[in-house]
Amino acid sequence: MCFYSRRMHFVCLACRAAWKKTPASYGPVRCPQCRAELINAGADLAVPKRRDEGGWRALEAVLRAGLTFHGGCCGTGPGYRPRTPREVQERLALAGRTGMPVKKALAVVDPTLTDRYGAAARTPGRGTRTAPRATGVPQRSPKTA
């Protein structure tokens, strides 16, 4: 049997608060504290604590880009979403470097390895190889030199 919550998280970014609402209460819902319009973030949202400023900044970037936490049936979730400002910055850098849309870049699990853009999307760093060594020529070890 498939069970999926019909209650969605509605988020107020200004107040750092979230409420769960049922489908009967959908529509233009206002925050009870500041009267701003609430954002329907989906049922699979893990709401950060109110004092977690970085978590709320990351959540704001994700929601402003148009990504939500609406999952599917039978365990299919919304996919990857960044949870820290550093993860958001890495994905925004990927978007700027490759020309990938921001919404798509924020959903990338690992910004150094992308399927669509391949190795050209990666920046050189540790572990990158320089010129290949000539084959058949033995290398002298530092101990015997």
Side-chain angles (χ1 to χ4, degrees):
M1 182 176 163
C2 181
F3 172 75
Y4 189 71
S5 176
R6 292 177 47 113
R7 295 174 56 171
M8 300 293 161
H9 285 277
F10 284 82
V11 178
C12 178
L13 296 172
C15 298
R16 293 186 186 169
W19 292 270
K20 282 190 173 181
K21 306 275 184 187
T22 59
S25 61
Y26 282 10
V29 182
R30 300 254 173 222
C31 174
Q33 297 171 359
C34 69
R35 305 305 299 161
E37 192 166 335
L38 296 175
I39 299 170
N40 183 355
D44 294 336
L45 172 66
V47 180
K49 293 188 183 269
R50 193 167 287 177
R51 66 179 176 264
D52 181 12
E53 292 181 25
W56 279 97
R57 281 195 319 241
L59 178 63
E60 181 176 3
V62 168
L63 292 176
R64 297 274 185 227
L67 290 172
T68 59
F69 297 84
H70 292 282
C73 184
C74 300
T76 58
Y80 175 79
R81 302 292 186 260
R83 296 181 73 136
T84 63
R86 181 178 180 175
E87 291 175 351
V88 171
Q89 287 176 351
E90 290 171 351
R91 279 136 187 92
L92 292 177
L94 172 70
R97 203 171 51 240
T98 62
M100 184 187 295
V102 173
K103 184 175 181 177
K104 191 172 273 193
L106 284 174
V108 170
V109 177
D110 187 3
T112 59
L113 303 172
T114 59
D115 294 335
R116 182 170 176 207
Y117 294 92
R122 297 184 209 146
T123 57
R126 279 192 183 182
T128 57
R129 291 189 148 192
T130 55
R133 285 191 273 169
T135 57
V137 179
Q139 294 278 331
R140 296 189 92 187
S141 68
K143 292 180 182 178
T144 60

